[in-house]
Amino acid sequence: MDRLALLEGAYVPLSSVLGTLDTEEGWRPTGCAGWAVLDLIQHLLFDTQRALVALATPADVPADADAVGYWRAWQPTDAENAADLWRTRVTASASRGLAALTGSYAEATAAVLVAASRLDPAARVRTQGHVLRVGDLLSTLAVEAAVHHLDLVVSLDRPGPGGEPLAEVRMVLTELAGGSLPRRWDDATAARRGTGRSPLTAADRLELGPVAARFPLFG
């Protein structure tokens, strides 16, 4: 699948859902333990800002990660997660509220899509200490958006991410697992269990065998 279309398919539905939220819903819990909806929106906004920086930061050296390899090193500790939440919450609390955050996210995602459309998918860019091809960067952004879209709707009566972004998440998780995930898992279940949002069952562990010890495959 065209990865620009993939990213658009992740960003547009997520931005649409965010645009329907009211102030009270901003304090609901999400699938990220300890994170409220407002915290998660601020995190998503940070990610679009990082994307814009990456798309404007060309690299003239070979790529050192791809759409799957990028996630292999993404295993933050509990302390790092707590620090990230604190920084994110402080920033969100200084914003002009839910409507301002969701409006900024809509603007930023639109800008990312325009910036990405102007680059060759094979061009190389820098982000978070890695060099990736643009197409691979777009996959990582779509995976991040899809997983957090699932997080967002845990306690909200809103639609989740679309089929293509969730299929991309499953592809990444399957590769990280060495080529096999339980077929009885739908893509949303694979995303939640593969990233530690929901625990493996005894049946899962039996089917996965030694691979189960590697879960979560990324956080």
Side-chain angles (χ1 to χ4, degrees), residues 62-102:
D64 61 21
D66 59 16
V68 176
Y70 170 85
W71 296 106
R72 287 196 174 95
W74 197 252
Q75 294 285 353
T77 65
D78 289 344
E80 288 170 336
N81 281 331
D84 185 30
L85 173 55
W86 178 254
R87 288 191 298 268
T88 303
R89 182 163 293 169
V90 167
T91 305
S93 69
S95 73
R96 291 176 288 119
L98 180 79
L101 284 175
T102 58

Side-chain angles (χ1 to χ4, degrees), residues 94-140:
S95 73
R96 291 176 288 119
L98 180 79
L101 284 175
T102 58
S104 293
Y105 183 75
E107 291 174 351
T109 52
V112 171
L113 293 171
V114 171
S117 73
R118 295 173 175 169
L119 295 177
D120 182 340
R124 297 180 297 268
V125 295
R126 295 183 184 275
T127 187
Q128 294 187 320
H130 292 290
V131 174
L132 282 79
R133 295 189 184 278
V134 168
D136 289 326
L137 173 68
L138 302 189
S139 168
T140 69

Side-chain angles (χ1 to χ4, degrees), residues 23-24 26 28 50 76 78 104 118 136 150 153 171 175 179 184 192 194 212:
T23 301
E24 184 276 331
R28 298 277 186 89
R50 177 181 67 83
D78 289 344
S104 293
R118 295 173 175 169
D136 289 326
L150 284 175
V153 299
M171 180 279 292
E175 291 295 320
R184 56 190 168 77
R192 291 190 177 104

Side-chain angles (χ1 to χ4, degrees), residues 7-210:
L7 184 59
E8 183 175 11
Y11 274 173
V12 172
L14 177 52
S15 185
S16 295
V17 167
L18 293 178
T20 69
L21 302 181
D22 60 38
T23 301
E24 184 276 331
E25 288 173 317
W27 303 107
R28 298 277 186 89
T30 70
C32 292
W35 292 62
V37 167
L38 275 170
D39 302 323
L40 185 57
I41 298 170
Q42 181 65 64
H43 175 78
L44 289 166
L45 182 56
F46 283 154
D47 203 51
T48 60
Q49 293 165 347
R50 177 181 67 83
L52 287 170
V53 171
L55 292 168
T57 309
D60 59 1
V61 296
D64 61 21
D66 59 16
V68 176
Y70 170 85
W71 296 106
R72 287 196 174 95
W74 197 252
Q75 294 285 353
T77 65
D78 289 344
E80 288 170 336
N81 281 331
D84 185 30
L85 173 55
W86 178 254
R87 288 191 298 268
T88 303
R89 182 163 293 169
V90 167
T91 305
S93 69
S95 73
R96 291 176 288 119
L98 180 79
L101 284 175
T102 58
S104 293
Y105 183 75
E107 291 174 351
T109 52
V112 171
L113 293 171
V114 171
S117 73
R118 295 173 175 169
L119 295 177
D120 182 340
R124 297 180 297 268
V125 295
R126 295 183 184 275
T127 187
Q128 294 187 320
H130 292 290
V131 174
L132 282 79
R133 295 189 184 278
V134 168
D136 289 326
L137 173 68
L138 302 189
S139 168
T140 69
L141 296 172
V143 166
E144 176 103 358
V147 170
H148 285 322
H149 193 156
L150 284 175
D151 291 331
L152 179 74
V153 299
V154 161
S155 63
L156 299 172
D157 184 19
R158 299 293 196 285
E164 289 82 5
L166 281 177
E168 188 77 358
V169 177
R170 188 186 192 109
M171 180 279 292
V172 168
L173 292 168
T174 298
E175 291 295 320
L176 292 174
S180 179
L181 292 178
R183 291 185 180 180
R184 56 190 168 77
W185 288 358
D186 62 21
D187 290 348
T189 299
R192 291 190 177 104
R193 293 188 180 164
T195 61
R197 266 73 175 173
S198 61
L200 297 176
T201 66
D204 294 335
R205 292 185 178 280
L206 182 63
E207 186 169 350
L208 287 165

